[in-house]
Amino acid sequence: MACENNTSDFDRQLLIDACSPFPNSQKTYVTGSREDIRVGMREVHLHDTPERFGGGRNEPVRIYDTSGSYTETGVPHDLNQGLPGLRSKWIEERADTELLDGRSSEFARSRQFDLRLEDIRFKALRTPRRAKTGQNVSQLYYARQGIVTPEMEYIALRENMGCSEGSHITPEFVRKEVAEGRAIIPANINHPESEPMIIGRNFLVKINANIGNSAVTSSIEEEVEKMLWSVRWGGDTVMDLSTGKNIHETREWMIRNSPVPIGTVPIYQALEKVKGKVKDLSWEVMKDTIIEQAEQGVDYMTIHAGVLREHVAKTKNRVTGIVSRGGGILGQWAEMHDAENFLYDNFRELCEVCQAYDISLSLGDGLRPGSIADANDEAQFGELKTLGELTKIAWEYDVQVMIEGPGHVPMHLIKENMEMQLEHCHEAPFYTLGPLTTDVAPGYDHITSGIGAAMMGWYGCAMLCYVTPKEHLGLPNRDDVKAGLIAYKIAAHAADLAKGHPNAQVRDNALSKARFEFRWLDQFNLALDPDTAKAYHDETLPQDGAKDSEFCSMCGPDFCPMRMTQDVRELEETA
Amino acid sequence: MACENNTSDFDRQLLIDACSPFPNSQKTYVTGSREDIRVGMREVHLHDTPERFGGGRNEPVRIYDTSGSYTETGVPHDLNQGLPGLRSKWIEERADTELLDGRSSEFARSRQFDLRLEDIRFKALRTPRRAKTGQNVSQLYYARQGIVTPEMEYIALRENMGCSEGSHITPEFVRKEVAEGRAIIPANINHPESEPMIIGRNFLVKINANIGNSAVTSSIEEEVEKMLWSVRWGGDTVMDLSTGKNIHETREWMIRNSPVPIGTVPIYQALEKVKGKVKDLSWEVMKDTIIEQAEQGVDYMTIHAGVLREHVAKTKNRVTGIVSRGGGILGQWAEMHDAENFLYDNFRELCEVCQAYDISLSLGDGLRPGSIADANDEAQFGELKTLGELTKIAWEYDVQVMIEGPGHVPMHLIKENMEMQLEHCHEAPFYTLGPLTTDVAPGYDHITSGIGAAMMGWYGCAMLCYVTPKEHLGLPNRDDVKAGLIAYKIAAHAADLAKGHPNAQVRDNALSKARFEFRWLDQFNLALDPDTAKAYHDETLPQDGAKDSEFCSMCGPDFCPMRMTQDVRELEETA
């Protein structure tokens, strides 16, 4: 068992499940130009081809791995201590940041010294870090200076999945894509635990898992468990969308234990701070919240600065109005104050804060459509243009930017949506929620949206925010999170194949070959979800011997076409 | 309870589940130009809009319904008697068929008089019917003569879902599409129980459910139950792919109780008849099998007449060889006999048989690719061209034709596949299995293929053969069948929206409006699967009162963006 947990509050079974090594797999490391650039990958070991099929060894398959060291055999984890700082040395070496005496956020300090929170507080805090005055510490800044950071080299190795030969994805290519704003590396200097990854349309399509409690349900332990569960099943980033109690503490636990970048929507917490009264929101509260989260290590933040009143006005005749929480809050605030969105008005100051921690901006689509009827309308595209203007401003500050997108879009309008984004937002990476391609299947929106996500990914979307089966109905549980992630890994991988990403098809080919040669265990082990594949096979043929049989219960022994193919081939050879 | 079953062998709970009316729905009938053209539809009744959202009545939504009278309140069913012959009078009126003294197939007669089969035999047999000598009884024949049959009128009403106003789908349009070979109406004269439906790219995209036992598992009762279950969840046709014992009897039970067209792959049974010895197959055994099934009422048959040796030779370097059972059998037979496929050689005689019963041909793609690596290869396209030639021959006999397609195709090759089919097969309807867009997710192939199916449907595929989560792993059970059907209803509906089918968006819009107005029950009732939608909502908010609440557990009461939208709208109005 790779994961040892000393906190009795955690769900032992979930931690065991989340941190078990994958079957017949082992963690392997590819080392870069310096010893401490060590990229972890999962290596699936395969059986030999049976003699009947010509025999021969099958090379292990390397898989892009988001689960960090949690799935590595023999590595103990203590959730109370958090992960080691993989990037700490790189950040220190650059000598452009300084350690702070304490938290800069008033709110963070008040939580830190509140004795009533003793029981739920993460204890092994890191000392926060900020750019030295006058310094710029973003990966975009370095890239523009022509500097290839260790993060960029790490990413190049990671994207090639251990087979760089002939690949165009070199460290220099990574640098160039970042420098041109076509890709981002979400990597807050206060989250050194995270393993560098990139979001851009010339790389593997990434997926994000939204987790977080709401006022109705869920606890800190559950959220940390969901995070571990998310990275196990392929979440490239995790967004903490908590809106209930103890958001600050929940986030600290999550970031300290997360091997992937963490995103948030700070307006949610800002609203909690003013006791849910939208009217009482202000730039000051928001700024303190951004700094609070920045010093905890949040890697990217959704900022709904494009929700302008002129765009909100265009939602009037929509079937489903505004469906983004942030959009709803800011639309309401502007109306109450008869003023423009304060995030828009204070955008430059916001960029200055982000710059000091290398926070990537995820410019939120507060007016994304919430139904097929409202897809690709004036409100959405109006906001998109504003997001494009804001992108240029953020780039003035070397702040990395991606753009959030819909939502609900029928298939024939998906391409237009992607093209409009590239055009209006100057090729900044697109990050969409689905989109759902129909509204008629609540309970199955991982599928309605998986279709749209795969297409959007193929057309150039860089990251897909998952949708779980519970979307529109309730807060997802453990099974829903997994179902959402698998559906989105499918969508992202299908997009990688369609885009012709180097090496993407290696896994498909290895699995298909195993299938043809009736190497059932290899087929299961190469699957996105080995447990389910094996369990389904076991349902009708649980015997161990069935794992070598040249048939399954679907066709039975006499009707297996793949066995017949082999019969034909043998006939031909002996003819 | 709509379904009363007197056969104690059947699973009472499944029958109750399969035959319960849908919540807040009622069966309604739209009548055509004559009294006996009565098209059943499901009508979902909605609640009024709450005063806060402006009040007002919401029109009931009519839904295309494949479940026949099984979901109608107060209609008793006796599975031992089968369904009434909805089309019997129309067939008789045409006076171009005759009742036979007995079954023409030798095999059928031997089963009929075998005392050992007494216990499993369907008793209320219909007298078989065949075209009078020299007569042609296919819907294609009538269409070409300019005759609008009651079946065609029924279909026009059905496709418009009760709202024909301004729709281009008139009875004459149906006739024209059939006459030009762009659409088929699978309607064996020996299956008068089935409700007329059409398969063509200018109509709603249809889905098929494969069921059937294999030598390893499953029984007659289970297969009939799966059929009822399939039509409940939207199966437009059902294919009986049984390969185990008692295929003949299983099929009789299924057809007599099926409100949808039934398809088969007769070569499976032919192989059973020669005790699984491929070498012993012959045109004679196959012909007797086709006639046997024709007189039971099979509406369409998959015939792998395009599996020629020159095409099989091109599969040599494939990763997964041949993956169609029929393709495997015929490839093996040809190799064993050093002869050409006997279905190709006897194709004209085969057409004569089909003509006499109005059996539609589903020209099988025996060489469809079984992996991403093999997609769109020479073997597949070679066979496709042959299928195009066979289409023209079938049309000489006024036999209706559709073409089967893959399988496994990455997203960027799907469009090419569809275009090649239209070109080579003269616009005969395409009927694809998925396709799967990646091979890496056994256990989730309803999703990997749902993506491909939606795209294929949008590009012009007329019917999508579902794939269940058990694909590649085992025989699907009840839950798998439902999961496959829902995924494919999503794909088909998403395609209908993208193609702009008249009225397709009515349901999406009604559901979205219900969602925005927090009419939770209406949202559930309009869903493809009301049970699951409600159950998911109940998981976190089981109280009855929560069904009127202006929030759910996902965002909680303070963060519901749709509630906020309404707040903003009210603010604006009072401003």
Side-chain angles (χ1 to χ4, degrees):
Chain A
M1 232 285 292
C3 188
E4 284 173 33
N5 161 35
N6 302 315
T7 313
S8 56
D9 288 340
F10 285 89
D11 175 339
R12 213 146 186 51
Q13 191 53 49
L14 193 139
L15 291 180
I16 291 172
D17 293 348
C19 301
S20 301
F22 282 94
N24 227 31
S25 297
Q26 105 185 18
K27 198 89 176 182
T28 184
Y29 288 88
V30 176
T31 306
S33 65
R34 41 187 280 182
E35 287 249 318
D36 64 350
I37 299 182
R38 290 178 73 239
V39 183
M41 292 172 195
R42 183 178 140 211
E43 202 167 62
V44 184
H45 293 267
L46 305 177
H47 295 85
D48 292 343
T49 291
E51 281 311 316
R52 188 181 172 205
F53 293 92
R57 197 177 116 74
N58 291 293
E59 288 301 316
V61 173
R62 283 181 178 173
I63 292 177
Y64 190 105
D65 192 351
T66 54
S67 65
S69 53
Y70 289 109
T71 53
E72 187 168 2
T73 316
V75 176
H77 287 94
D78 182 348
L79 297 176
N80 293 299
Q81 291 302 317
L83 292 169
L86 170 76
R87 299 195 302 125
S88 297
K89 204 176 151 203
W90 308 340
I91 294 165
E92 280 162 28
E93 277 176 1
R94 290 193 277 258
D96 48 9
T97 58
E98 59 192 358
L99 293 170
L100 302 177
D101 287 340
R103 305 275 160 156
S104 313
S105 146
E106 200 181 319
F107 180 84
R109 286 195 302 274
S110 78
R111 299 296 286 192
Q112 200 172 349
F113 303 112
D114 187 334
L115 289 175
R116 290 165 303 183
L117 300 172
E118 207 56 30
D119 286 349
I120 60 164
R121 190 176 288 136
F122 181 87
K123 305 292 188 313
L125 289 176
R126 287 184 178 273
T127 307
R129 192 179 274 283
R130 191 172 57 199
K132 286 179 184 162
T133 312
Q135 300 273 19
N136 194 332
V137 299
S138 81
Q139 296 287 325
L140 174 53
Y141 171 78
Y142 303 135
R144 284 173 163 179
Q145 304 302 309
I147 300 165
V148 173
T149 61
E151 284 88 343
M152 296 172 196
E153 189 185 337
Y154 187 105
I155 285 164
L157 292 169
R158 197 173 189 187
E159 288 280 323
N160 287 309
M161 292 173 282
C163 179
S164 308
E165 215 176 310
S167 167
H168 66 278
I169 304 178
T170 59
E172 170 57 21
F173 179 79
V174 173
R175 186 203 63 74
K176 195 165 156 282
E177 289 290 302
V178 173
E180 289 173 7
R182 261 196 304 275
I184 65 168
I185 300 174
N188 185 328
I189 51 171
N190 288 307
H191 187 201
E193 299 92 343
S194 84
E195 300 179 348
M197 55 80 71
I198 195 161
I199 301 169
R201 75 178 194 281
N202 294 319
F203 300 93
L204 290 164
V205 176
K206 303 303 186 296
I207 65 174
N208 170 68
N210 284 341
I211 61 175
N213 55 5
S214 79
V216 177
T217 177
S218 186
S219 69
I220 290 184
E221 293 78 25
E222 282 176 58
E223 294 313 311
V224 175
E225 287 154 11
K226 272 190 210 162
M227 183 275 288
L228 293 178
W229 194 235
S230 299
V231 301
R232 176 179 185 82
W233 296 112
D236 291 290
T237 74
V238 167
M239 286 196 83
D240 172 18
L241 304 187
S242 296
T243 56
K245 277 179 196 166
N246 306 321
I247 302 183
H248 180 84
E249 287 69 29
T250 304
R251 190 185 309 122
E252 191 74 43
W253 277 97
M254 204 179 283
I255 294 173
R256 295 289 72 81
N257 286 292
S258 173
V260 304
I262 297 291
T264 60
V265 188
I267 195 96
Y268 298 170
Q269 190 183 5
L271 187 61
E272 298 283 346
K273 289 179 183 176
V274 295
K275 302 189 170 52
K277 291 188 179 150
V278 170
K279 197 169 185 179
D280 293 350
L281 278 170
S282 66
W283 167 237
E284 288 65 36
V285 175
M286 184 70 177
K287 184 178 170 187
D288 190 73
T289 306
I290 293 172
I291 293 171
E292 169 203 344
Q293 300 193 3
E295 293 183 1
Q296 288 187 299
V298 171
D299 299 284
Y300 66 90
M301 296 185 189
T302 297
I303 299 291
H304 299 93
V307 180
L308 302 188
R309 301 184 77 186
E310 56 174 313
H311 307 321
V312 173
K314 289 179 182 144
T315 65
K316 236 176 205 165
N317 296 317
R318 278 183 168 182
V319 171
T320 45
I322 298 174
V323 298
S324 141
R325 293 190 232 172
I329 295 166
L330 287 157
Q332 206 172 8
W333 185 92
E335 197 63 36
M336 286 167 160
H337 288 268
D338 196 14
E340 198 50 278
N341 181 341
F342 60 79
L343 292 172
Y344 181 82
D345 283 347
N346 295 280
F347 192 72
R348 286 181 179 273
E349 197 178 343
L350 190 153
C351 289
E352 284 169 12
V353 175
C354 293
Q355 192 189 46
Y357 304 94
D358 197 5
I359 293 167
S360 296
L361 279 176
S362 187
L363 293 177
D365 56 336
L367 305 181
R368 66 168 174 268
S371 57
I372 294 298
D374 297 342
N376 289 27
D377 70 354
E378 278 187 28
Q380 189 210 333
F381 287 143
E383 183 187 26
L384 190 67
K385 276 185 206 169
T386 302
L387 299 184
E389 292 161 22
L390 295 170
T391 300
K392 288 219 157 168
I393 295 173
W395 283 347
E396 287 178 30
Y397 295 82
D398 295 325
V399 169
Q400 305 188 83
V401 181
M402 62 181 168
I403 309 290
E404 297 186 10
H408 296 239
V409 185
M411 281 194 286
H412 63 298
L413 299 181
I414 291 176
K415 196 156 198 234
E416 180 192 35
N417 216 292
M418 185 70 228
E419 286 168 353
M420 291 287 263
Q421 189 273 341
L422 288 176
E423 184 191 329
H424 293 315
C425 300
H426 326 292
E427 300 193 60
F430 205 22
Y431 167 31
T432 59
L433 180 72
L436 282 73
T437 52
T438 165
D439 302 331
V440 300
Y444 298 83
D445 280 333
H446 59 312
I447 302 180
T448 63
S449 69
I451 295 167
M455 293 175 69
M456 195 63 110
W458 172 31
Y459 295 150
C461 185
M463 185 155 79
L464 308 169
C465 183
Y466 87 166
V467 171
T468 79
K470 286 274 171 64
E471 185 75 17
H472 298 118
L473 299 170
L475 202 67
N477 63 26
R478 167 194 164 145
D479 290 340
D480 300 319
V481 166
K482 180 175 169 185
L485 279 158
I486 299 284
Y488 273 68
K489 280 304 282 184
I490 289 170
H493 186 73
D496 289 335
L497 291 176
K499 283 168 39 172
H501 182 95
N503 301 327
Q505 208 181 306
V506 170
R507 189 175 183 176
D508 294 77
N509 293 356
L511 192 146
S512 296
K513 187 165 185 280
R515 183 172 278 159
F516 186 72
E517 295 170 359
F518 299 101
R519 288 183 279 118
W520 288 99
L521 292 174
D522 288 350
Q523 190 187 152
F524 306 152
N525 296 342
L526 283 164
L528 285 184
D529 178 2
D531 307 340
T532 298
K534 183 166 183 302
Y536 281 178
H537 189 265
D538 285 352
E539 254 180 52
T540 44
L541 292 170
Q543 311 84 344
D544 271 353
K547 303 293 180 275
D548 305 313
S549 297
E550 294 197 355
F551 67 92
C552 75
S553 69
M554 197 166 164
C555 300
D558 291 342
F559 280 87
C560 178
M562 295 200 298
R563 181 193 52 72
M564 287 183 197
T565 304
Q566 190 55 21
D567 292 345
V568 173
R569 287 183 183 176
E570 285 175 11
L571 271 172
E572 282 169 357
E573 277 159 26
T574 57
Chain B
M1 233 286 293
C3 188
E4 282 172 36
N5 161 35
N6 303 317
T7 313
S8 58
D9 288 339
F10 285 89
D11 176 339
R12 223 159 175 39
Q13 190 53 48
L14 192 138
L15 291 180
I16 291 171
D17 292 349
C19 301
S20 301
F22 282 95
N24 228 31
S25 297
Q26 104 185 19
K27 197 89 175 181
T28 184
Y29 287 88
V30 176
T31 307
S33 65
R34 42 188 279 183
E35 286 250 320
D36 64 350
I37 299 182
R38 291 177 72 237
V39 184
M41 293 173 195
R42 183 178 141 211
E43 200 167 62
V44 185
H45 294 267
L46 305 176
H47 295 85
D48 292 343
T49 292
E51 281 310 315
R52 191 185 168 199
F53 293 92
R57 197 178 116 75
N58 290 294
E59 288 301 316
V61 173
R62 284 182 179 173
I63 292 176
Y64 190 105
D65 192 351
T66 55
S67 66
S69 53
Y70 290 110
T71 53
E72 186 168 0
T73 315
V75 176
H77 288 93
D78 182 349
L79 296 176
N80 293 300
Q81 291 303 316
L83 292 170
L86 171 74
R87 299 195 301 125
S88 297
K89 203 175 152 206
W90 308 340
I91 294 165
E92 280 162 28
E93 278 177 4
R94 289 194 277 257
D96 49 8
T97 59
E98 59 192 358
L99 292 171
L100 301 177
D101 286 340
R103 304 274 162 158
S104 315
S105 147
E106 200 180 320
F107 180 84
R109 286 196 300 274
S110 77
R111 298 297 286 192
Q112 201 173 348
F113 302 113
D114 187 337
L115 288 176
R116 289 164 303 181
L117 299 172
E118 208 55 31
D119 286 349
I120 60 166
R121 191 176 288 136
F122 181 85
K123 304 291 188 312
L125 288 177
R126 287 183 178 274
T127 307
R129 192 178 276 281
R130 191 173 57 198
K132 286 180 185 160
T133 312
Q135 299 274 19
N136 194 332
V137 299
S138 81
Q139 295 287 324
L140 173 54
Y141 172 77
Y142 303 135
R144 283 174 163 179
Q145 304 304 311
I147 299 165
V148 173
T149 61
E151 284 88 343
M152 295 171 197
E153 188 185 338
Y154 187 105
I155 285 164
L157 292 169
R158 196 173 190 188
E159 289 279 324
N160 287 309
M161 291 173 283
C163 178
S164 308
E165 214 176 310
S167 167
H168 66 279
I169 303 178
T170 59
E172 169 57 20
F173 180 79
V174 173
R175 187 203 62 74
K176 193 164 159 284
E177 289 290 301
V178 172
E180 289 173 7
R182 261 197 304 275
I184 66 168
I185 300 174
N188 186 328
I189 51 170
N190 288 307
H191 188 201
E193 299 91 343
S194 85
E195 301 179 348
M197 56 79 72
I198 195 161
I199 301 169
R201 74 178 195 281
N202 294 320
F203 300 93
L204 290 164
V205 176
K206 304 302 186 296
I207 65 174
N208 170 69
N210 285 340
I211 61 174
N213 55 5
S214 79
V216 177
T217 177
S218 189
S219 69
I220 291 185
E221 294 77 25
E222 282 176 57
E223 294 314 312
V224 175
E225 287 154 12
K226 273 190 209 163
M227 183 273 290
L228 294 178
W229 194 235
S230 298
V231 300
R232 176 178 184 81
W233 296 111
D236 291 289
T237 73
V238 167
M239 286 195 83
D240 173 17
L241 304 187
S242 294
T243 56
K245 278 181 196 164
N246 307 321
I247 301 184
H248 180 84
E249 288 68 28
T250 304
R251 191 184 309 121
E252 192 72 45
W253 278 96
M254 205 181 280
I255 294 173
R256 296 287 75 81
N257 286 293
S258 173
V260 304
I262 297 291
T264 60
V265 188
I267 195 95
Y268 297 171
Q269 191 184 3
L271 187 61
E272 298 283 346
K273 289 180 183 175
V274 297
K275 301 191 172 51
K277 290 186 182 152
V278 170
K279 197 168 184 178
D280 294 349
L281 279 171
S282 65
W283 166 238
E284 288 64 37
V285 175
M286 185 70 178
K287 185 179 170 187
D288 190 73
T289 306
I290 293 172
I291 291 171
E292 168 203 346
Q293 300 193 3
E295 292 183 2
Q296 289 188 299
V298 170
D299 299 284
Y300 66 90
M301 297 185 188
T302 297
I303 299 291
H304 299 93
V307 179
L308 302 188
R309 300 183 79 186
E310 56 174 315
H311 307 321
V312 173
K314 290 181 182 143
T315 65
K316 237 176 206 164
N317 296 317
R318 278 184 168 182
V319 172
T320 46
I322 299 174
V323 298
S324 140
R325 293 190 232 172
I329 294 166
L330 288 157
Q332 206 172 7
W333 186 92
E335 197 62 37
M336 286 166 159
H337 288 268
D338 197 14
E340 198 50 279
N341 181 342
F342 60 78
L343 292 171
Y344 181 82
D345 283 346
N346 296 281
F347 192 71
R348 286 183 178 272
E349 196 178 343
L350 191 153
C351 289
E352 283 168 11
V353 176
C354 293
Q355 193 188 46
Y357 304 94
D358 196 6
I359 292 167
S360 297
L361 280 176
S362 187
L363 293 178
D365 56 335
L367 305 181
R368 67 166 172 269
S371 57
I372 293 297
D374 297 341
N376 289 28
D377 70 354
E378 278 186 29
Q380 189 210 332
F381 287 142
E383 183 187 26
L384 191 67
K385 276 184 206 170
T386 302
L387 299 185
E389 292 160 21
L390 295 170
T391 300
K392 288 217 157 170
I393 295 173
W395 284 348
E396 287 178 30
Y397 295 82
D398 296 325
V399 170
Q400 306 187 82
V401 181
M402 61 180 167
I403 309 291
E404 297 186 12
H408 296 239
V409 185
M411 282 193 286
H412 63 298
L413 298 182
I414 292 176
K415 197 157 197 229
E416 180 192 33
N417 217 293
M418 185 68 229
E419 285 167 354
M420 292 286 265
Q421 190 274 339
L422 288 176
E423 184 190 330
H424 292 315
C425 300
H426 325 292
E427 300 193 62
F430 205 22
Y431 167 33
T432 59
L433 179 72
L436 281 74
T437 52
T438 165
D439 302 330
V440 300
Y444 299 83
D445 279 333
H446 60 312
I447 302 180
T448 62
S449 70
I451 294 167
M455 293 174 68
M456 196 64 110
W458 173 31
Y459 295 149
C461 186
M463 185 155 77
L464 308 168
C465 182
Y466 87 166
V467 171
T468 79
K470 285 276 170 62
E471 184 76 16
H472 299 118
L473 300 169
L475 202 67
N477 63 26
R478 165 193 166 150
D479 290 340
D480 300 319
V481 166
K482 179 174 169 185
L485 279 159
I486 299 283
Y488 273 68
K489 280 304 282 182
I490 289 170
H493 185 74
D496 289 334
L497 291 176
K499 281 168 41 173
H501 182 94
N503 301 329
Q505 208 181 306
V506 170
R507 188 175 184 177
D508 294 77
N509 292 356
L511 192 146
S512 295
K513 186 165 186 280
R515 184 173 276 159
F516 187 71
E517 295 169 0
F518 299 101
R519 288 182 279 119
W520 288 100
L521 292 174
D522 289 348
Q523 189 186 153
F524 305 153
N525 296 342
L526 284 164
L528 286 184
D529 177 3
D531 307 341
T532 298
K534 181 165 183 303
Y536 281 178
H537 188 264
D538 285 351
E539 255 181 52
T540 44
L541 293 170
Q543 312 83 347
D544 271 353
K547 303 292 180 274
D548 304 313
S549 297
E550 295 196 356
F551 67 92
C552 75
S553 69
M554 196 164 163
C555 300
D558 291 343
F559 280 87
C560 178
M562 295 200 299
R563 180 194 53 72
M564 285 183 198
T565 305
Q566 190 54 23
D567 292 345
V568 173
R569 287 183 182 175
E570 285 176 11
L571 271 171
E572 282 168 357
E573 277 160 25
T574 55

